[in-house]
Coordinates of all heavy atoms in Angstrom, one line a residue:
S27 N -87.9 -193.6 220.8 CA -86.5 -193.3 220.8 C -85.8 -193.9 222.1 O -86.5 -194.3 223.0 CB -86.2 -191.8 220.8 OG -86.5 -191.2 222.0
H28 N -84.5 -194.0 222.1 CA -83.7 -194.5 223.2 C -84.0 -193.7 224.4 O -84.1 -194.2 225.5 CB -82.3 -194.5 222.8 CG -81.4 -195.2 223.9 ND1 -81.4 -196.5 224.1 CD2 -80.6 -194.6 224.8 CE1 -80.6 -196.8 225.1 NE2 -80.1 -195.7 225.5
D29 N -84.0 -192.4 224.3 CA -84.2 -191.5 225.5 C -85.6 -191.7 226.1 O -85.7 -191.7 227.4 CB -84.1 -190.0 225.1 CG -82.6 -189.7 224.8 OD1 -81.7 -190.4 225.3 OD2 -82.4 -188.7 224.1
S30 N -86.6 -191.9 225.3 CA -88.0 -192.1 225.9 C -88.0 -193.5 226.5 O -88.7 -193.6 227.6 CB -89.1 -191.9 224.9 OG -88.9 -192.8 223.8
M31 N -87.4 -194.5 225.9 CA -87.4 -195.8 226.5 C -86.6 -195.7 227.9 O -87.1 -196.3 228.9 CB -86.7 -196.8 225.6 CG -86.6 -198.2 226.1 SD -85.7 -199.3 225.1 CE -84.0 -198.8 225.5
R32 N -85.5 -195.0 227.9 CA -84.8 -194.9 229.2 C -85.6 -194.2 230.2 O -85.6 -194.7 231.4 CB -83.5 -194.2 228.9 CG -82.7 -193.9 230.2 CD -81.5 -193.1 230.0 NE -80.4 -194.1 229.8 CZ -79.2 -193.8 229.8 NH1 -78.7 -192.6 229.9 NH2 -78.3 -194.8 229.6
A33 N -86.3 -193.2 229.9 CA -87.2 -192.5 230.8 C -88.3 -193.4 231.4 O -88.6 -193.4 232.6 CB -87.8 -191.2 230.2
C34 N -88.8 -194.2 230.5 CA -89.9 -195.1 230.9 C -89.3 -196.2 231.9 O -89.9 -196.5 232.9 CB -90.5 -195.8 229.7 SG -91.8 -197.0 230.1
I35 N -88.2 -196.7 231.6 CA -87.5 -197.7 232.4 C -87.2 -197.1 233.8 O -87.4 -197.7 234.8 CB -86.3 -198.3 231.8 CG1 -86.7 -199.2 230.6 CG2 -85.4 -199.1 232.7 CD1 -85.5 -199.6 229.7
K36 N -86.7 -195.9 233.8 CA -86.3 -195.2 235.0 C -87.6 -195.0 235.9 O -87.5 -195.2 237.1 CB -85.7 -193.8 234.7 CG -85.0 -193.2 235.8 CD -84.3 -191.9 235.4 CE -83.5 -191.3 236.5 NZ -82.7 -190.2 236.1
E37 N -88.7 -194.6 235.2 CA -89.9 -194.4 235.9 C -90.4 -195.7 236.6 O -90.9 -195.8 237.7 CB -91.0 -193.9 235.0 CG -92.3 -193.5 235.6 CD -93.3 -192.9 234.6 OE1 -92.9 -191.9 233.9 OE2 -94.4 -193.4 234.5
Q38 N -90.3 -196.8 235.8 CA -90.7 -198.1 236.3 C -89.9 -198.6 237.5 O -90.3 -199.1 238.4 CB -90.7 -199.2 235.2 CG -91.8 -199.0 234.2 CD -91.6 -200.0 233.0 OE1 -90.6 -200.7 232.9 NE2 -92.6 -200.1 232.2
S39 N -88.6 -198.3 237.4 CA -87.6 -198.6 238.4 C -88.0 -197.9 239.7 O -88.0 -198.5 240.8 CB -86.2 -198.3 238.0 OG -85.3 -198.7 239.0
A40 N -88.2 -196.6 239.6 CA -88.6 -195.8 240.8 C -89.9 -196.3 241.4 O -90.0 -196.4 242.6 CB -88.7 -194.3 240.4
A41 N -90.9 -196.7 240.6 CA -92.1 -197.2 241.1 C -91.9 -198.5 241.8 O -92.5 -198.7 242.9 CB -93.1 -197.3 240.0
A42 N -91.1 -199.4 241.3 CA -90.8 -200.6 241.9 C -90.1 -200.4 243.3 O -90.4 -201.1 244.2 CB -89.9 -201.5 241.0
T43 N -89.2 -199.5 243.3 CA -88.5 -199.2 244.6 C -89.5 -198.7 245.6 O -89.4 -199.1 246.8 CB -87.4 -198.1 244.4 OG1 -86.4 -198.7 243.5 CG2 -86.7 -197.8 245.6
K44 N -90.4 -197.8 245.2 CA -91.5 -197.3 246.1 C -92.3 -198.5 246.6 O -92.7 -198.6 247.8 CB -92.3 -196.3 245.5 CG -91.6 -194.9 245.4 CD -92.6 -193.9 244.7 CE -91.9 -192.6 244.6 NZ -92.7 -191.6 244.0
E45 N -92.7 -199.4 245.7 CA -93.5 -200.6 246.1 C -92.7 -201.4 247.1 O -93.3 -201.9 248.1 CB -93.8 -201.4 244.8 CG -94.5 -202.7 245.1 CD -95.9 -202.6 245.7 OE1 -96.5 -201.5 245.6 OE2 -96.3 -203.5 246.4
L46 N -91.4 -201.6 246.9 CA -90.6 -202.4 247.8 C -90.6 -201.7 249.2 O -90.8 -202.4 250.2 CB -89.2 -202.5 247.3 CG -88.2 -203.2 248.3 CD1 -88.6 -204.6 248.6 CD2 -86.8 -203.1 247.7
E47 N -90.3 -200.4 249.2 CA -90.2 -199.7 250.5 C -91.6 -199.7 251.2 O -91.6 -199.9 252.4 CB -89.8 -198.2 250.2 CG -88.3 -198.2 249.8 CD -87.9 -196.8 249.3 OE1 -88.8 -195.9 249.1 OE2 -86.7 -196.6 249.0
S48 N -92.7 -199.6 250.5 CA -94.0 -199.7 251.1 C -94.2 -201.1 251.7 O -94.7 -201.2 252.8 CB -95.1 -199.4 250.0 OG -96.3 -199.7 250.5
A49 N -93.8 -202.1 251.0 CA -94.0 -203.5 251.5 C -93.1 -203.7 252.7 O -93.6 -204.4 253.7 CB -93.6 -204.5 250.4
E50 N -91.9 -203.2 252.8 CA -91.1 -203.3 253.9 C -91.7 -202.7 255.2 O -91.8 -203.2 256.2 CB -89.7 -202.7 253.7 CG -88.9 -203.5 252.7 CD -87.6 -202.8 252.3 OE1 -87.5 -201.6 252.5 OE2 -86.7 -203.5 251.8
K51 N -92.3 -201.5 255.0 CA -92.9 -200.7 256.1 C -94.2 -201.5 256.5 O -94.4 -201.6 257.7 CB -93.3 -199.3 255.6 CG -92.1 -198.4 255.5 CD -92.4 -197.0 255.0 CE -91.2 -196.2 254.8 NZ -91.5 -194.9 254.1
M52 N -94.9 -202.0 255.6 CA -96.1 -202.7 255.9 C -95.8 -204.0 256.7 O -96.5 -204.3 257.7 CB -96.9 -203.1 254.6 CG -98.3 -203.5 254.9 SD -99.2 -203.9 253.4 CE -99.1 -202.4 252.4
L53 N -94.8 -204.7 256.3 CA -94.4 -205.9 257.0 C -93.9 -205.5 258.4 O -94.3 -206.2 259.4 CB -93.3 -206.7 256.3 CG -92.9 -208.0 257.0 CD1 -94.0 -208.9 257.3 CD2 -91.9 -208.7 256.1
A54 N -93.1 -204.5 258.6 CA -92.7 -204.1 259.9 C -93.9 -203.7 260.8 O -93.9 -204.1 262.0 CB -91.7 -202.9 259.8
S55 N -94.9 -203.1 260.2 CA -96.1 -202.7 261.0 C -96.9 -204.0 261.3 O -97.4 -204.1 262.5 CB -96.9 -201.8 260.1 OG -98.1 -201.5 260.8
T56 N -97.0 -204.9 260.4 CA -97.7 -206.2 260.7 C -97.0 -206.9 261.8 O -97.7 -207.5 262.7 CB -97.8 -207.0 259.4 OG1 -98.5 -206.3 258.4 CG2 -98.5 -208.3 259.6
I57 N -95.7 -207.0 261.7 CA -94.9 -207.6 262.8 C -95.3 -207.0 264.2 O -95.5 -207.7 265.1 CB -93.4 -207.6 262.5 CG1 -93.0 -208.5 261.4 CG2 -92.6 -207.9 263.8 CD1 -91.6 -208.3 260.9
Q58 N -95.3 -205.7 264.2 CA -95.6 -204.9 265.4 C -97.0 -205.3 265.9 O -97.1 -205.4 267.1 CB -95.5 -203.4 265.1 CG -95.5 -202.6 266.4 CD -94.4 -202.8 267.3 OE1 -93.3 -203.1 266.9 NE2 -94.6 -202.6 268.6
H59 N -97.9 -205.4 265.1 CA -99.3 -205.6 265.5 C -99.7 -207.1 265.7 O -100.5 -207.4 266.5 CB -100.3 -205.0 264.5 CG -100.2 -203.5 264.4 ND1 -99.7 -202.7 265.4 CD2 -100.7 -202.7 263.5 CE1 -99.8 -201.5 265.0 NE2 -100.3 -201.4 263.9
E60 N -99.1 -208.0 264.9 CA -99.5 -209.4 264.9 C -98.7 -210.3 265.8 O -99.2 -211.3 266.3 CB -99.5 -210.0 263.5 CG -100.4 -209.2 262.5 CD -101.9 -209.4 262.9 OE1 -102.3 -210.4 263.5 OE2 -102.7 -208.5 262.5
L61 N -97.4 -210.0 266.0 CA -96.6 -210.9 266.8 C -96.6 -210.5 268.3 O -96.5 -209.3 268.6 CB -95.1 -210.9 266.3 CG -95.0 -211.5 264.9 CD1 -93.5 -211.5 264.5 CD2 -95.5 -212.9 264.7
R62 N -96.7 -211.4 269.1 CA -96.8 -211.1 270.6 C -95.4 -211.2 271.2 O -94.9 -210.3 271.8 CB -97.7 -212.1 271.3 CG -99.1 -212.0 270.7 CD -99.9 -210.8 271.1 NE -101.2 -210.8 270.5 CZ -101.7 -210.1 269.5 NH1 -100.9 -209.4 268.9 NH2 -102.9 -210.2 269.1
N63 N -94.8 -212.4 271.1 CA -93.6 -212.7 271.9 C -92.2 -212.4 271.2 O -91.3 -212.1 271.9 CB -93.6 -214.2 272.2 CG -94.8 -214.6 273.1 OD1 -95.3 -213.8 273.9 ND2 -95.3 -215.8 272.8
S64 N -92.2 -212.4 269.9 CA -90.9 -212.3 269.2 C -90.8 -211.1 268.3 O -90.1 -211.1 267.3 CB -90.7 -213.6 268.4 OG -91.7 -213.8 267.5
K65 N -91.6 -210.0 268.7 CA -91.6 -208.8 267.9 C -90.3 -208.2 267.6 O -89.9 -207.9 266.5 CB -92.4 -207.8 268.7 CG -93.5 -207.1 268.0 CD -94.2 -206.1 269.0 CE -95.3 -206.8 269.7 NZ -96.3 -205.8 270.2
T66 N -89.5 -208.0 268.7 CA -88.2 -207.4 268.5 C -87.2 -208.2 267.7 O -86.6 -207.7 266.8 CB -87.5 -207.1 269.9 OG1 -88.5 -206.3 270.7 CG2 -86.2 -206.4 269.8
S67 N -87.2 -209.5 267.9 CA -86.3 -210.4 267.1 C -86.8 -210.4 265.7 O -85.9 -210.3 264.8 CB -86.4 -211.8 267.7 OG -85.6 -212.7 266.9
A68 N -88.0 -210.5 265.4 CA -88.5 -210.5 264.0 C -88.2 -209.2 263.3 O -87.8 -209.2 262.1 CB -90.0 -210.7 264.0
R69 N -88.4 -208.1 264.0 CA -88.0 -206.8 263.3 C -86.5 -206.7 263.0 O -86.2 -206.2 262.0 CB -88.5 -205.6 264.2 CG -90.0 -205.5 264.1 CD -90.6 -204.4 265.0 NE -90.0 -203.1 264.8 CZ -89.9 -202.2 265.7 NH1 -90.4 -202.4 266.9 NH2 -89.4 -201.0 265.4
Q70 N -85.7 -207.2 264.0 CA -84.3 -207.2 263.7 C -83.9 -208.0 262.5 O -83.1 -207.6 261.7 CB -83.5 -207.6 265.0 CG -83.5 -206.6 266.1 CD -82.9 -207.2 267.4 OE1 -82.8 -208.4 267.5 NE2 -82.6 -206.3 268.3
H71 N -84.5 -209.2 262.4 CA -84.3 -210.1 261.3 C -84.8 -209.5 260.0 O -84.1 -209.6 259.0 CB -84.9 -211.5 261.5 CG -84.1 -212.3 262.4 ND1 -84.3 -212.4 263.8 CD2 -83.1 -213.1 262.2 CE1 -83.5 -213.2 264.4 NE2 -82.7 -213.7 263.4
L72 N -85.9 -208.8 260.0 CA -86.4 -208.1 258.8 C -85.4 -207.0 258.4 O -85.1 -206.9 257.2 CB -87.8 -207.5 259.1 CG -88.3 -206.7 257.9 CD1 -88.5 -207.5 256.7 CD2 -89.7 -206.0 258.3
T73 N -84.9 -206.3 259.3 CA -83.9 -205.2 259.0 C -82.7 -205.8 258.4 O -82.2 -205.3 257.4 CB -83.6 -204.4 260.3 OG1 -84.7 -203.8 260.8 CG2 -82.5 -203.4 260.0
Q74 N -82.2 -206.9 258.9 CA -81.0 -207.6 258.4 C -81.3 -208.2 257.0 O -80.5 -208.0 256.1 CB -80.6 -208.7 259.3 CG -80.0 -208.3 260.6 CD -79.7 -209.4 261.6 OE1 -80.1 -210.6 261.3 NE2 -79.0 -209.1 262.7
A75 N -82.5 -208.8 256.8 CA -82.9 -209.3 255.5 C -83.0 -208.2 254.5 O -82.5 -208.4 253.3 CB -84.2 -210.1 255.6
N76 N -83.6 -207.1 254.9 CA -83.7 -206.0 253.9 C -82.3 -205.5 253.5 O -82.1 -205.2 252.3 CB -84.5 -204.8 254.5 CG -85.9 -205.1 254.7 OD1 -86.5 -206.1 254.1 ND2 -86.6 -204.4 255.6
A77 N -81.4 -205.4 254.4 CA -80.0 -204.9 254.1 C -79.3 -205.9 253.2 O -78.7 -205.5 252.2 CB -79.2 -204.7 255.4
K78 N -79.4 -207.2 253.5 CA -78.8 -208.2 252.7 C -79.4 -208.3 251.3 O -78.7 -208.5 250.3 CB -78.8 -209.6 253.4 CG -77.9 -209.6 254.5 CD -77.9 -210.9 255.2 CE -76.9 -210.8 256.4 NZ -76.5 -212.1 257.0
Y79 N -80.7 -208.1 251.2 CA -81.4 -208.0 249.9 C -80.8 -206.9 249.1 O -80.5 -207.1 247.9 CB -82.9 -207.8 250.0 CG -83.5 -207.4 248.7 CD1 -83.6 -208.3 247.7 CD2 -83.8 -206.0 248.5 CE1 -84.1 -207.9 246.5 CE2 -84.3 -205.6 247.3 CZ -84.4 -206.5 246.3 OH -84.9 -206.1 245.0
R80 N -80.6 -205.7 249.7 CA -80.0 -204.6 248.9 C -78.6 -204.9 248.5 O -78.2 -204.5 247.4 CB -80.1 -203.3 249.7 CG -81.6 -202.8 249.7 CD -81.7 -201.5 250.6 NE -83.0 -200.9 250.4 CZ -84.2 -201.4 250.7 NH1 -84.3 -202.6 251.3 NH2 -85.3 -200.7 250.5
Q81 N -77.8 -205.6 249.3 CA -76.5 -206.0 248.9 C -76.5 -206.9 247.7 O -75.8 -206.8 246.7 CB -75.7 -206.7 250.0 CG -75.3 -205.7 251.1 CD -74.7 -206.5 252.3 OE1 -74.9 -207.7 252.5 NE2 -74.0 -205.8 253.2
Y82 N -77.4 -207.9 247.8 CA -77.6 -208.9 246.7 C -78.0 -208.1 245.4 O -77.5 -208.3 244.3 CB -78.6 -209.9 247.0 CG -79.1 -210.7 245.8 CD1 -78.3 -211.6 245.2 CD2 -80.4 -210.4 245.3 CE1 -78.8 -212.3 244.1 CE2 -80.8 -211.1 244.2 CZ -80.0 -212.0 243.6 OH -80.5 -212.7 242.5
R83 N -79.0 -207.2 245.5 CA -79.6 -206.5 244.4 C -78.4 -205.7 243.7 O -78.3 -205.7 242.5 CB -80.7 -205.6 244.8 CG -81.3 -204.8 243.6 CD -82.3 -203.8 244.1 NE -81.7 -202.8 244.9 CZ -82.4 -201.9 245.6 NH1 -83.7 -201.9 245.7 NH2 -81.7 -201.0 246.3
K84 N -77.7 -205.0 244.5 CA -76.6 -204.2 244.0 C -75.6 -205.1 243.2 O -75.2 -204.8 242.1 CB -75.9 -203.5 245.1 CG -74.8 -202.6 244.6 CD -74.1 -201.8 245.7 CE -73.0 -200.9 245.2 NZ -72.4 -200.1 246.2
A85 N -75.2 -206.2 243.8 CA -74.2 -207.1 243.2 C -74.8 -207.7 241.9 O -74.1 -207.7 240.8 CB -73.8 -208.2 244.1
Q86 N -76.0 -208.2 242.0 CA -76.6 -208.9 240.8 C -76.9 -207.9 239.7 O -76.6 -208.2 238.5 CB -78.0 -209.5 241.2 CG -78.7 -210.2 240.1 CD -77.9 -211.4 239.5 OE1 -77.1 -212.0 240.2 NE2 -78.2 -211.8 238.3
C87 N -77.4 -206.7 240.0 CA -77.7 -205.8 238.9 C -76.4 -205.1 238.4 O -76.3 -204.8 237.2 CB -78.7 -204.7 239.4 SG -80.3 -205.5 239.8
S88 N -75.4 -205.0 239.2 CA -74.1 -204.5 238.7 C -73.5 -205.6 237.7 O -72.9 -205.2 236.7 CB -73.1 -204.3 239.8 OG -73.5 -203.2 240.6
F89 N -73.7 -206.8 238.0 CA -73.2 -207.9 237.2 C -74.0 -207.8 235.8 O -73.4 -207.9 234.8 CB -73.5 -209.3 237.8 CG -73.5 -210.4 236.8 CD1 -72.3 -210.8 236.2 CD2 -74.7 -211.0 236.5 CE1 -72.3 -211.9 235.3 CE2 -74.7 -212.1 235.6 CZ -73.5 -212.5 235.0
Q90 N -75.3 -207.6 235.9 CA -76.1 -207.5 234.7 C -75.6 -206.4 233.8 O -75.5 -206.5 232.6 CB -77.6 -207.3 235.0 CG -78.3 -208.5 235.7 CD -78.5 -209.6 234.7 OE1 -78.7 -209.4 233.5 NE2 -78.6 -210.8 235.2
A91 N -75.3 -205.2 234.4 CA -74.8 -204.1 233.7 C -73.4 -204.3 233.1 O -73.1 -204.0 232.0 CB -74.8 -202.8 234.5
Q92 N -72.6 -205.0 233.9 CA -71.2 -205.3 233.5 C -71.3 -206.3 232.3 O -70.4 -206.1 231.4 CB -70.4 -205.9 234.6 CG -69.0 -206.1 234.3 CD -68.3 -204.7 234.2 OE1 -68.6 -203.8 234.8 NE2 -67.3 -204.7 233.3
A93 N -72.2 -207.2 232.3 CA -72.3 -208.1 231.2 C -72.7 -207.4 229.9 O -72.4 -207.9 228.8 CB -73.4 -209.2 231.5
A94 N -73.2 -206.2 230.0 CA -73.6 -205.5 228.8 C -72.6 -204.3 228.5 O -72.9 -203.4 227.7 CB -75.0 -204.9 229.0
T95 N -71.5 -204.3 229.1 CA -70.5 -203.3 229.0 C -70.2 -203.1 227.5 O -70.1 -204.0 226.7 CB -69.2 -203.6 229.7 OG1 -69.5 -203.6 231.1 CG2 -68.1 -202.6 229.5
G96 N -70.2 -201.8 227.1 CA -69.9 -201.5 225.7 C -71.1 -201.3 224.9 O -71.1 -200.9 223.8
K97 N -72.3 -201.7 225.5 CA -73.5 -201.5 224.7 C -74.3 -200.4 225.3 O -74.2 -200.1 226.5 CB -74.4 -202.8 224.9 CG -73.7 -204.0 224.3 CD -74.6 -205.2 224.5 CE -73.9 -206.5 223.9 NZ -74.6 -207.7 224.2
K98 N -75.1 -199.7 224.5 CA -75.8 -198.6 225.0 C -76.8 -199.0 226.1 O -77.3 -198.2 226.9 CB -76.6 -197.9 223.8 CG -75.7 -197.0 223.0 CD -76.5 -196.5 221.8 CE -77.4 -195.3 222.3 NZ -78.1 -194.6 221.2
S99 N -77.2 -200.2 226.1 CA -78.3 -200.7 227.0 C -77.8 -201.0 228.4 O -78.6 -201.4 229.2 CB -78.9 -201.9 226.4 OG -78.0 -203.0 226.3
A100 N -76.5 -200.9 228.7 CA -76.0 -201.3 230.0 C -76.7 -200.6 231.2 O -77.2 -201.3 232.1 CB -74.5 -201.0 230.1
P101 N -76.9 -199.3 231.2 CA -77.7 -198.7 232.3 C -79.1 -199.1 232.4 O -79.6 -199.3 233.5 CB -77.6 -197.2 232.0 CG -76.5 -197.0 231.0 CD -76.4 -198.3 230.2
E102 N -79.7 -199.4 231.2 CA -81.1 -199.8 231.2 C -81.2 -201.2 231.8 O -82.1 -201.6 232.5 CB -81.7 -199.8 229.8 CG -82.0 -198.4 229.3 CD -80.8 -197.7 228.8 OE1 -79.7 -198.3 228.6 OE2 -80.9 -196.4 228.5
R103 N -80.2 -202.1 231.4 CA -80.2 -203.4 232.0 C -80.1 -203.4 233.5 O -80.8 -204.2 234.2 CB -79.0 -204.2 231.4 CG -79.3 -204.7 230.0 CD -78.2 -205.7 229.6 NE -78.3 -206.0 228.2 CZ -78.0 -207.2 227.7 NH1 -77.5 -208.1 228.5 NH2 -78.1 -207.4 226.5
E104 N -79.3 -202.5 234.0 CA -79.2 -202.4 235.5 C -80.6 -202.0 236.1 O -81.0 -202.6 237.1 CB -78.1 -201.4 235.9 CG -77.8 -201.5 237.4 CD -76.5 -200.8 237.8 OE1 -75.9 -200.1 236.9 OE2 -76.2 -200.9 238.9
M105 N -81.2 -201.0 235.5 CA -82.5 -200.6 236.0 C -83.6 -201.6 235.9 O -84.4 -201.8 236.7 CB -83.0 -199.3 235.3 CG -82.2 -198.0 235.8 SD -82.9 -196.5 235.1 CE -82.3 -196.5 233.4
L106 N -83.6 -202.4 234.7 CA -84.5 -203.5 234.5 C -84.3 -204.6 235.6 O -85.3 -205.1 236.1 CB -84.4 -204.0 233.1 CG -85.0 -203.1 232.0 CD1 -84.6 -203.7 230.7 CD2 -86.5 -203.0 232.1
C107 N -83.1 -204.8 235.9 CA -82.8 -205.8 236.9 C -83.3 -205.4 238.3 O -83.9 -206.1 239.0 CB -81.2 -206.0 236.9 SG -80.7 -207.1 238.3
T108 N -83.0 -204.1 238.6 CA -83.5 -203.6 239.9 C -85.0 -203.6 240.0 O -85.6 -204.0 241.0 CB -83.0 -202.1 240.1 OG1 -81.5 -202.1 240.1 CG2 -83.5 -201.5 241.3
T109 N -85.7 -203.3 238.9 CA -87.1 -203.3 238.8 C -87.6 -204.7 239.1 O -88.5 -204.9 239.9 CB -87.6 -202.7 237.5 OG1 -87.2 -201.4 237.3 CG2 -89.1 -202.8 237.4
A110 N -87.1 -205.6 238.4 CA -87.6 -207.0 238.5 C -87.4 -207.6 239.9 O -88.3 -208.2 240.5 CB -86.9 -207.9 237.4
L111 N -86.2 -207.3 240.4 CA -85.9 -207.9 241.8 C -86.7 -207.2 242.8 O -87.2 -207.8 243.8 CB -84.4 -207.7 242.1 CG -83.5 -208.6 241.3 CD1 -82.0 -208.3 241.6 CD2 -83.8 -210.1 241.5
D112 N -86.9 -205.8 242.7 CA -87.7 -205.1 243.7 C -89.2 -205.6 243.7 O -89.8 -205.8 244.7 CB -87.6 -203.6 243.5 CG -86.3 -203.0 244.0 OD1 -85.5 -203.7 244.6 OD2 -86.1 -201.8 243.8
L113 N -89.7 -205.8 242.5 CA -91.1 -206.2 242.4 C -91.2 -207.7 243.0 O -92.2 -207.9 243.7 CB -91.6 -206.2 241.0 CG -91.8 -204.8 240.4 CD1 -92.1 -204.9 238.9 CD2 -92.8 -204.0 241.2
Q114 N -90.3 -208.5 242.7 CA -90.3 -209.9 243.3 C -90.2 -209.8 244.8 O -90.9 -210.5 245.5 CB -89.3 -210.8 242.7 CG -89.3 -212.2 243.2 CD -90.7 -212.9 242.9 OE1 -91.1 -212.8 241.8 NE2 -91.3 -213.4 243.9
R115 N -89.3 -209.0 245.3 CA -89.1 -208.9 246.8 C -90.4 -208.3 247.4 O -90.8 -208.8 248.5 CB -87.9 -208.0 247.1 CG -87.7 -207.7 248.5 CD -87.0 -208.8 249.3 NE -86.7 -208.3 250.6 CZ -86.7 -209.1 251.7 NH1 -86.8 -210.4 251.5 NH2 -86.4 -208.6 252.9
A116 N -91.0 -207.3 246.8 CA -92.2 -206.8 247.4 C -93.3 -207.8 247.4 O -94.0 -208.0 248.4 CB -92.6 -205.6 246.5
K117 N -93.4 -208.6 246.3 CA -94.4 -209.7 246.3 C -94.1 -210.7 247.4 O -95.1 -211.2 248.1 CB -94.3 -210.4 244.9 CG -95.3 -211.5 244.7 CD -95.1 -212.1 243.3 CE -96.1 -213.3 243.2 NZ -95.9 -214.0 241.9
D118 N -92.9 -211.1 247.6 CA -92.5 -212.0 248.7 C -92.9 -211.4 250.1 O -93.4 -212.1 251.0 CB -91.0 -212.3 248.7 CG -90.6 -213.1 247.4 OD1 -91.5 -213.7 246.8 OD2 -89.4 -213.2 247.2
L119 N -92.6 -210.1 250.3 CA -93.0 -209.5 251.6 C -94.5 -209.4 251.8 O -94.9 -209.7 252.9 CB -92.4 -208.1 251.6 CG -90.8 -208.0 251.7 CD1 -90.4 -206.6 251.6 CD2 -90.2 -208.7 252.8
H120 N -95.2 -209.2 250.7 CA -96.7 -209.2 250.8 C -97.2 -210.6 251.2 O -98.1 -210.7 252.0 CB -97.3 -208.7 249.5 CG -97.3 -207.2 249.4 ND1 -97.9 -206.3 250.2 CD2 -96.6 -206.4 248.5 CE1 -97.7 -205.1 249.8 NE2 -96.9 -205.1 248.8
A121 N -96.6 -211.6 250.6 CA -97.0 -213.0 251.0 C -96.7 -213.2 252.5 O -97.5 -213.9 253.2 CB -96.2 -214.0 250.1
T122 N -95.6 -212.7 253.0 CA -95.3 -212.9 254.4 C -96.3 -212.2 255.3 O -96.7 -212.7 256.3 CB -93.8 -212.4 254.7 OG1 -92.9 -213.1 253.9 CG2 -93.5 -212.5 256.2
I123 N -96.7 -211.0 254.8 CA -97.7 -210.2 255.6 C -99.0 -211.0 255.7 O -99.6 -211.2 256.7 CB -98.0 -208.9 254.9 CG1 -96.8 -207.9 255.0 CG2 -99.2 -208.2 255.5 CD1 -96.8 -206.7 254.1
E124 N -99.4 -211.6 254.6 CA -100.6 -212.4 254.6 C -100.5 -213.6 255.5 O -101.5 -214.0 256.2 CB -101.0 -212.9 253.1 CG -101.4 -211.7 252.3 CD -102.6 -210.9 252.9 OE1 -103.6 -211.5 253.3 OE2 -102.5 -209.7 252.9
T125 N -99.3 -214.2 255.5 CA -99.1 -215.4 256.4 C -99.2 -215.0 257.9 O -99.7 -215.7 258.7 CB -97.7 -216.0 256.2 OG1 -97.6 -216.4 254.8 CG2 -97.4 -217.1 257.0
L126 N -98.7 -213.8 258.2 CA -98.8 -213.3 259.6 C -100.2 -212.9 260.1 O -100.4 -212.9 261.3 CB -97.8 -212.2 259.8 CG -96.3 -212.5 259.7 CD1 -95.5 -211.2 259.8 CD2 -95.9 -213.5 260.7
R127 N -101.0 -212.6 259.2 CA -102.4 -212.1 259.6 C -103.3 -213.2 259.9 O -103.3 -214.3 259.5 CB -103.0 -211.2 258.5 CG -102.2 -209.9 258.4 CD -102.9 -209.0 257.4 NE -102.2 -207.7 257.5 CZ -102.3 -206.8 256.6 NH1 -102.9 -207.0 255.5 NH2 -101.7 -205.6 256.7

């Protein structure tokens, strides 16, 4: 049913957000432990990048939902967009962590 599908998408979206937040914290910790000279600058840039990512995600996923206006699937499209972007961002952050180690 539509309600069970929506619940599943919502659960996946929440899990992706947790994965993203975990990757952000892990990268901040890696910066703290691995970088010697540019720790503060790197952490500031990471904070800025995280904020800009969230602005992009909000704009992109709002666009996706707006494109589906009038359809029952509009809220789900927004959550699917958020899920996909958060998982990709987390993957990118994990790759950065591996590069720093």
Side-chain angles (χ1 to χ4, degrees):
S27 79
H28 184 77
D29 289 338
S30 61
M31 182 185 71
R32 175 181 269 191
C34 182
I35 291 170
K36 191 173 186 177
E37 186 177 306
Q38 289 175 348
S39 181
T43 298
K44 283 182 183 179
E45 173 65 24
L46 173 64
E47 290 168 353
S48 174
E50 289 172 343
K51 288 176 185 173
M52 194 181 304
L53 180 53
S55 177
T56 301
I57 287 169
Q58 188 66 29
H59 294 342
E60 299 293 333
L61 297 182
R62 304 285 183 255
N63 301 325
S64 57
K65 232 182 265 202
T66 302
S67 177
R69 286 178 54 208
Q70 288 173 342
H71 281 93
L72 175 60
T73 298
Q74 290 172 352
N76 290 342
K78 288 183 181 192
Y79 163 74
R80 281 175 171 71
Q81 289 174 342
Y82 164 75
R83 181 186 66 192
K84 182 177 180 179
Q86 180 64 24
C87 295
S88 291
F89 162 71
Q90 292 286 333
Q92 189 66 33
T95 296
K97 297 179 182 174
K98 283 178 77 173
S99 65
E102 288 81 10
R103 283 189 187 212
E104 188 166 8
M105 283 188 282
L106 288 169
C107 174
T108 298
T109 300
L111 291 178
D112 283 356
L113 290 174
Q114 183 59 52
R115 173 81 174 152
K117 182 179 175 183
D118 293 344
L119 294 176
H120 284 293
T122 302
I123 291 166
E124 291 306 313
T125 301
L126 292 176
R127 290 186 174 158

